[in-house]
Amino acid sequence: MRRQSPFQFILIASLILVLALFLGLLSGAVDIHPSKLLGLFSLSNMDMDHRILQTIRLPRVLLAALAGACLASCGAIMQGLFRNPLADPSLIGVSSGASVGASCVIFFGGASLVGSGVGLPAITIGAFVGGLVATSVVYRLATSSTGTSVSTMLLAGIAITALAGATTSLFSFFADNEMLRRISLWQMGNLDGADWSRVATLALVVVPLMLVLPREGQALNAMLLGESEARHLGVAVERLKRRLILLTALGVGVAVAVSGVVAFVGLIVPHLVRLLIGPDHRYLIPGSAILGAALLLLADTAARTLMSPAELPTGVLTALLGAPFFVGLLLQQRQKRVG
Amino acid sequence: MLEARQLSLSISEFALLQNIDLQINPGKVTAILGPNGAGKTSLLRLLTGESLPSSGEVIFNGVPLSQWQPKQRAKILSVLPQGSQLNFPFTAREVVMMGRIPHATGLVKDADIVDAALNAVGGSYLDKRFYTQMSGGEKQRVQLARVLAQIWETDVSGDRFLILDEPTSAFDLAHQQLTLKIVRDFACQGVGVLMVIHDLNLAAGCADQLVVLNCGQIAAQGTPEAVLTTTMIQEVFNVDASIGVHPKTGSPLVIV
């Protein structure tokens, strides 16, 4: 397969991201005329469209872009760390742990939380804590005096994911109808709770992450050769693994906490970018971040507009659109290899 | 100098290596021989800091190996492990370029070194090819070029060392000879070379010093002439062999 130049790709992906931002801002249950964007931040001019833009649309598109960037670049990191192009950020248990945390809060918080204003932040915090706890258990299980074994971590991740899945099911089993609906909606992944405080929370984690992660590119490239090869190239392998797992757990943890489990972005986007520009992590990580932001934003815009005024859960849409696209990509690749 | 002092390694009370004393000198080629399970790879892992000895120590250029900063060490010690797990579609050039990770010599110089290293292993034609689509021998040549690129420059502080674990295992006759020639050329530049090799005759033709391991202990050590005897081969490898003389080079020739 011929490769695209990484710089060209990043340029094109950035253009798509900018277009997706505008599309996301302008379309929805109420379509807004592009001219309204000009006065977006003027306080004097407060008609209905501006209020929609400021309090609903802008936080929502920013949240989608940040979550997409975060999930996709963490996916790239995990695929490098596990030396497996099919790895996914959820492998280290963070998403399933977050599900337990969120359903636990929904279950025990019950009716008292609903509509009281503290409900959503409480669920977010519960999900974040759940994700971090699950990841730290997986990490502990895989770490011995001789270091962290990536293959043990994979197995521990599977075990913890299964355990967390069962726990979430237990909560769902004992939950009443209203709770059950909220638990399942949360698990589908949804950006409909977007507000400025969530954007700020996510940005606080994602922006530093985006600045730090590309610096690990060269070391991750060496890791693809094998752990001992990386060590012989002067990479402090154990420290690198610990740092990357911590960063991924933080990044995915907070993304999942504010948006629920948005499927597929972390798996597909880095895979796609690798097919286009090759596996060099110095370009793969920023490329994945930009494309991930654009794709989640487009998917979320589609989720809002397809059945407007009703909204589909974003996570359902990413999987619905992502899976066939991915299969198409695989088929195309196979054909090229044969032909 | 890379030096092993009284190295022992035991894992769950099973002794893999016992009291190994060994010196790898700059400018010399040392070959480790021995039957399967003799402890060759374990010894290599200790000498490269991959695992820690149960007792004894490894001294690298006068300082205990464990006290070296990983990055500083990588500038002058490069290691080619057996086999490779790389299954991502890097090009040959990108793989060899990774050998320059420990250095900060700039893209232009690194590109020259990568060209030269690929050329040295007869792999210039692989440059833009994908690693995942290469044959076993081509992959091994690219990996060899990578470890050569890592210690390519002569103007570094400290003696350089090259450690190879069965570097010729996937090669045809011509590339076996090419590898041994590269190894000799590097030794001539003052690089200390240590390699594990199975073919006694390849070892005899290339190495200055042979070290024979058997059951975790050094069974024989010295020049090829001194080490390769019918008694040693009978005792260590359990094979009845004759020793001749190579008609061209004069080095010992093991005939089975």
Side-chain angles (χ1 to χ4, degrees):
Chain A
M1 184 151 179
R2 272 195 58 223
R3 276 198 204 161
Q4 225 178 340
S5 132
F7 300 105
Q8 209 182 355
F9 169 80
I10 287 179
L11 195 73
I12 295 173
S14 308
L15 281 178
I16 297 177
L17 175 59
V18 172
L19 288 179
L21 275 171
F22 280 113
L23 189 68
L25 281 174
L26 299 178
S27 50
V30 180
D31 281 327
I32 293 174
H33 194 267
S35 64
K36 300 277 186 184
L37 287 178
L38 288 173
L40 183 54
F41 292 105
S42 69
L43 291 171
S44 55
N45 180 356
M46 280 303 256
D47 64 7
M48 195 58 189
D49 283 355
H50 278 103
R51 224 169 283 170
I52 290 176
L53 277 175
Q54 277 184 6
T55 56
I56 300 173
R57 292 278 167 83
L58 193 57
R60 176 118 186 200
V61 297
L62 287 179
L63 197 72
L66 285 170
C70 181
L71 290 171
S73 50
C74 289
I77 299 272
M78 282 292 110
Q79 293 175 1
L81 200 60
F82 283 99
R83 285 192 289 282
N84 187 339
L86 294 178
D88 179 279
S90 62
L91 270 183
I92 52 173
V94 58
S95 317
S96 49
S99 286
V100 174
S103 33
C104 179
V105 172
I106 295 172
F107 185 78
F108 289 109
S112 64
L113 282 176
V114 180
S116 66
V118 294
L120 278 178
I123 293 171
T124 304
I125 292 167
F128 184 66
V129 171
L132 283 195
V133 168
T135 307
S136 64
V137 171
V138 170
Y139 181 73
R140 289 265 159 88
L141 284 174
T143 307
S144 64
S145 57
T146 55
T148 309
S149 156
V150 165
S151 49
T152 313
M153 203 158 77
L154 196 72
L155 293 173
I158 291 172
I160 295 298
T161 302
L163 189 68
T167 316
T168 312
S169 298
L170 268 183
F171 280 125
S172 310
F173 182 73
F174 289 111
D176 62 26
N177 279 346
E178 168 60 21
M179 288 175 189
L180 187 59
R181 185 175 159 71
R182 296 188 52 178
I183 291 177
S184 358
L185 270 180
W186 188 88
Q187 279 179 323
M188 288 176 202
N190 214 333
L191 293 161
D192 62 358
D195 57 31
W196 282 108
S197 67
R198 289 186 170 210
V199 173
T201 314
L202 191 55
L204 215 60
V205 175
V206 174
V207 172
L209 202 66
M210 291 300 116
L211 295 177
V212 172
L213 286 184
R215 284 190 207 168
E216 313 281 8
Q218 192 68 274
L220 261 173
N221 287 344
M223 285 287 283
L224 291 185
L225 290 170
E227 280 187 24
S228 52
E229 281 89 341
R231 213 168 282 132
H232 295 315
L233 284 170
V235 175
V237 171
E238 290 308 319
R239 285 224 307 269
L240 178 75
K241 281 193 278 191
R242 198 163 48 219
R243 200 162 55 230
L244 290 182
I245 291 166
L246 182 74
L247 288 175
T248 310
L250 267 178
V252 179
V254 78
V256 170
V258 298
S259 63
V261 185
V262 177
F264 246 45
V265 177
L267 171 68
I268 282 192
V269 173
H271 204 92
L272 177 65
V273 177
R274 195 179 294 109
L275 281 177
L276 290 172
I277 65 171
D280 189 333
H281 283 91
R282 285 171 297 175
Y283 311 116
L284 180 65
I285 296 171
S288 298
I290 297 170
L291 194 67
L295 287 189
L296 188 53
L297 188 48
L298 286 175
D300 185 51
T301 308
R304 287 189 288 121
T305 48
L306 280 183
M307 294 181 60
S308 160
E311 280 188 16
L312 290 168
T314 319
V316 172
L317 214 82
T318 53
L320 269 181
L321 294 175
F325 178 69
F326 195 56
V327 170
L329 207 70
L330 289 179
L331 286 179
Q332 195 193 3
Q333 242 197 330
R334 202 173 60 176
Q335 247 170 10
K336 266 193 187 142
R337 211 169 292 154
V338 174
Chain B
M1 189 162 68
L2 184 61
E3 195 182 358
R5 288 186 190 160
Q6 285 293 303
L7 278 188
S8 297
L9 176 70
S10 33
I11 290 175
S12 43
E13 306 200 5
F14 184 75
L16 294 177
L17 291 169
Q18 289 172 3
N19 305 325
I20 305 285
D21 278 307
L22 189 63
Q23 290 184 354
I24 320 297
N25 290 305
K28 299 285 180 199
V29 178
T30 304
I32 299 182
L33 307 167
N36 292 334
K40 301 184 295 290
T41 298
S42 300
L43 178 57
L44 234 52
R45 288 173 61 86
L46 292 185
L47 288 172
T48 56
E50 267 290 287
S51 30
L52 294 174
S54 312
S55 66
E57 60 180 345
V58 180
I59 310 288
F60 179 48
N61 285 351
V63 180
L65 191 66
S66 50
Q67 287 177 21
W68 278 79
Q69 288 289 320
K71 201 139 208 173
Q72 293 307 316
R73 196 181 74 191
K75 283 182 180 170
I76 48 176
L77 174 70
S78 103
V79 183
L80 179 67
Q82 238 183 87
S84 155
Q85 309 166 321
L86 181 62
N87 57 356
F88 281 75
F90 283 107
T91 61
R93 164 164 290 270
E94 287 171 326
V95 174
V96 179
M97 191 58 104
M98 287 189 212
R100 302 303 299 168
I101 289 179
H103 305 272
T105 38
L107 271 179
V108 181
K109 189 163 190 191
D110 286 351
D112 288 345
I113 290 174
V114 169
D115 285 333
L118 268 174
N119 189 38
V121 300
S124 295
Y125 72 99
L126 294 169
D127 191 53
K128 295 251 166 13
R129 293 255 308 268
F130 290 125
Y131 185 83
T132 38
Q133 294 169 354
M134 291 178 193
S135 74
E138 287 172 335
K139 285 182 179 173
Q140 203 168 354
R141 267 146 71 198
V142 171
Q143 294 284 358
L144 181 63
R146 175 177 67 79
V147 294
L148 295 181
Q150 191 179 341
I151 53 163
W152 193 265
E153 292 163 290
T154 46
D155 56 340
V156 287
S157 57
D159 295 324
R160 291 172 293 154
F161 285 87
L162 178 62
I163 298 186
L164 311 165
D165 196 354
E166 298 193 27
T168 55
S169 59
F171 286 163
D172 57 28
L173 217 51
H175 285 115
Q176 284 183 358
Q177 293 303 324
L178 179 66
T179 308
L180 297 185
K181 183 181 167 296
I182 293 170
V183 162
R184 284 263 35 129
D185 288 350
F186 262 69
C188 284
Q189 290 174 22
V191 175
V193 181
L194 174 68
M195 57 182 178
V196 168
I197 198 161
H198 271 296
D199 189 315
L200 301 182
N201 289 322
L202 283 181
C206 169
D208 301 294
Q209 182 189 209
L210 299 187
V211 177
V212 182
L213 277 183
N214 192 23
C215 302
Q217 288 175 308
I218 293 184
Q221 185 174 9
T223 60
E225 288 78 9
V227 168
L228 292 175
T229 60
T230 45
T231 0
M232 186 282 286
I233 295 173
Q234 180 65 52
E235 272 172 19
V236 174
F237 294 94
N238 209 9
V239 169
D240 185 20
S242 314
I243 309 288
V245 175
H246 193 289
K248 277 191 186 156
T249 61
S251 57
L253 192 63
V254 179
I255 302 157
V256 184

